[in-house]
């Protein structure tokens, strides 16, 4: 007989949540992406009345995330979301680029179901492993949340638009900055704190199948003593877009700004974000380069890539 219980699909991509160390007290010297996602799900004590299916989409440290995997992940999300019996989808992911994948998916895939990314700061073998709690919470959010891409981590739910990794080691390593989290997860129940965001999407069809054909966009940082040489090198190397991580409220060192304006004159798209940890650029009076508003530099890079996609890929 077929199960009538709702189905949540968990897609595995690796990360610390699937990592192992030599001893339970080793929280730092471990190997990420060693355990399969089916194993991580089987190790959960309970999955709150849902049937969980799994698929291993990738298996690596998320510092090595690549465009081909992003596209495949987007395709698998779309596939599972189209099955009526699937209520939500969870993605287990390394924490290093989790915010980039969350933003990318939110801007690309239109799914009418919750998509919940999660991970862990301690390997699965750790005596303080946070992966099982985060995964169980993510499954709960996949059944209780609204449509759209969010991150469930350390008892909080963050919108893809706002989430940032803010700490390299602490268990509570993600935050939503000024916007604040979307919800709390308390003993498997989600308590909403503000409205669920909606997001425009470009659609998977916009992404070239050949990942090497994706627009090349790089990030440069405005710093004390900056100069424009790096911009010239990038322009000569054929980049199509440059994001500048500007200081404060979007200010850029004069020498770097001059080089960016010259790059724009050569047809390179430029977007200016702020390197401040919270908040976005306010106002745009008399700015030499276009503002990315409240997007972080890594979000602005994704945004510029999507804008520069070849038509009809
Ligand atoms: N380097 C790991 C990764 O991003 C870190 C983690 O998952 O916490 O895959």
């Amino acid at each position: 007989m077929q199960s009538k219980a709702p189905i949540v699909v968990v897609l595995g991509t690796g990360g610390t949540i699937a990592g192992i160390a030599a001893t339970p007290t080793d929280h730092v010297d471990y190997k990420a992406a060693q355990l399969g996602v089916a194993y991580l799900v089987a190790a959960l004590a309970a999955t709150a009345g849902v049937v969980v299916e799994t698929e291993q989409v990738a298996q690596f440290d998320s510092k090595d995330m690549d465009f081909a995997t992003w596209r495949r992940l987007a395709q698998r999300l779309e596939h599972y979301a189209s099955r009526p019996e699937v209520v939500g989808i969870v993605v287990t992911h390394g924490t290093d680029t989790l915010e980039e994948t969350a933003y990318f998916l939110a801007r690309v895939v239109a799914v009418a179901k919750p998509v919940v990314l999660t991970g862990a700061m301690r390997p699965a073998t750790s005596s303080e492993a946070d992966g099982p709690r985060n995964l169980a919470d993510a499954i709960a959010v996949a059944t209780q949340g609204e449509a759209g891409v969010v991150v469930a981590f350390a008892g909080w739910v963050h919108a893809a638009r706002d989430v940032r990794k803010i700490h390299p080691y602490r268990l509570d390593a993600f935050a939503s900055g000024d916007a604040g989290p979307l919800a709390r997860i308390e003993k498997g129940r989600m308590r909403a704190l503000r409205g669920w965001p909606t997001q425009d999407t470009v659609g998977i069809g916009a992404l070239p199948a050949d990942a090497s054909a994706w627009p090349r966009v790089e990030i440069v940082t405005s710093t004390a003593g900056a100069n424009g040489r790096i911009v010239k090198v990038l322009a000569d190397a054929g980049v199509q877009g440059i994001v500048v991580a500007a200081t404060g409220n979007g200010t850029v060192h004069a020498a770097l700004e001059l080089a960016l304006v010259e790059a724009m004159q050569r047809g390179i798209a430029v977007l200016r974000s702020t390197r401040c940890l919270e908040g976005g650029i306010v106002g745009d009076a008399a700015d030499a380069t276009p503002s990315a508003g409240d997007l972080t530099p890594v979000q602005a890079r994704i945004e510029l890539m999507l804008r520069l996609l070849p038509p009809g890929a």
Side-chain angles (χ1 to χ4, degrees):
M1 216 177 71
Q2 259 206 326
S3 161
K4 290 276 187 298
I7 295 174
V8 171
V9 179
V10 183
L11 304 178
T13 68
T16 296
I17 191 168
I20 56 175
T23 69
T25 48
D26 207 338
H27 313 312
V28 176
D29 292 320
Y30 61 87
K31 255 185 117 134
Q34 300 301 302
L35 302 171
V37 65
Y39 179 91
L40 301 181
V41 169
L44 292 181
T47 49
V50 296
V51 171
V52 180
E53 291 182 16
T54 61
E55 181 183 326
Q56 195 76 49
V57 175
Q59 183 69 310
F60 50 50
D61 189 314
S62 81
K63 72 179 177 58
D64 298 323
M65 181 51 75
D66 55 55
F67 297 158
T69 307
W70 268 359
R71 185 168 178 274
R72 171 139 183 85
L73 193 52
Q75 286 173 327
R76 299 315 288 154
L77 282 182
E78 200 168 71
H79 164 77
Y80 285 112
S82 71
R83 281 175 47 192
E85 68 280 18
V86 172
V87 294
I89 300 154
V90 169
V91 179
T92 58
H93 198 289
T95 61
D96 288 345
T97 57
L98 190 144
E99 73 202 66
E100 291 178 60
T101 299
Y103 187 74
F104 170 78
L105 293 175
R107 286 287 288 115
V108 169
V109 202
V111 285
K113 295 177 182 172
V115 174
V116 190
L117 278 73
T118 196
M121 294 301 287
R122 302 281 184 270
T125 48
S126 165
S127 55
E128 295 168 23
D130 53 331
R133 178 76 271 144
N134 286 343
L135 181 52
D137 282 352
I139 292 171
V141 175
T143 66
Q144 297 165 37
E146 295 177 35
V149 182
V150 298
V151 172
F153 213 96
W156 299 103
V157 183
H158 303 282
R161 183 73 168 69
D162 304 312
V163 69
R164 300 172 186 200
K165 187 173 184 184
I166 55 158
H167 202 281
Y169 180 74
R170 228 169 58 194
L171 297 184
D172 197 358
F174 288 84
S176 290
D178 293 343
L182 282 181
R184 271 201 66 79
I185 312 151
E186 295 161 344
K187 296 188 82 171
R189 297 298 314 164
M190 200 186 74
R191 182 159 62 86
L193 301 172
R194 62 185 176 92
W196 225 252
T198 53
Q199 186 80 63
D200 290 339
T201 52
V202 300
I204 297 173
L207 304 174
D210 175 5
S212 67
W214 289 30
R216 189 162 157 220
V217 178
E218 301 291 349
I219 302 174
V220 301
T221 304
S222 187
T223 59
N227 61 59
R229 283 199 292 272
I230 186 68
V231 171
K232 174 106 179 29
V233 169
L234 290 173
D236 291 345
V239 297
Q240 288 148 275
I242 297 175
V243 168
V244 56
T247 38
N249 191 27
T251 53
V252 178
H253 190 291
L256 182 58
E257 187 169 79
L258 189 63
L260 289 166
V261 170
E262 280 169 8
M264 284 167 68
Q265 285 158 0
R266 287 174 66 175
I268 295 167
V270 171
L271 207 47
R272 181 170 39 91
S273 177
T274 175
R275 59 178 226 194
C276 285
L277 298 183
E278 293 195 7
I281 298 171
V282 178
D284 56 3
D287 289 330
T289 53
S291 164
D294 61 358
L295 297 178
T296 64
V298 293
Q299 288 175 333
R301 175 172 176 263
I302 293 167
E303 203 57 51
L304 199 48
M305 273 173 35
L306 296 178
R307 278 185 210 170
L308 293 169
L309 284 170

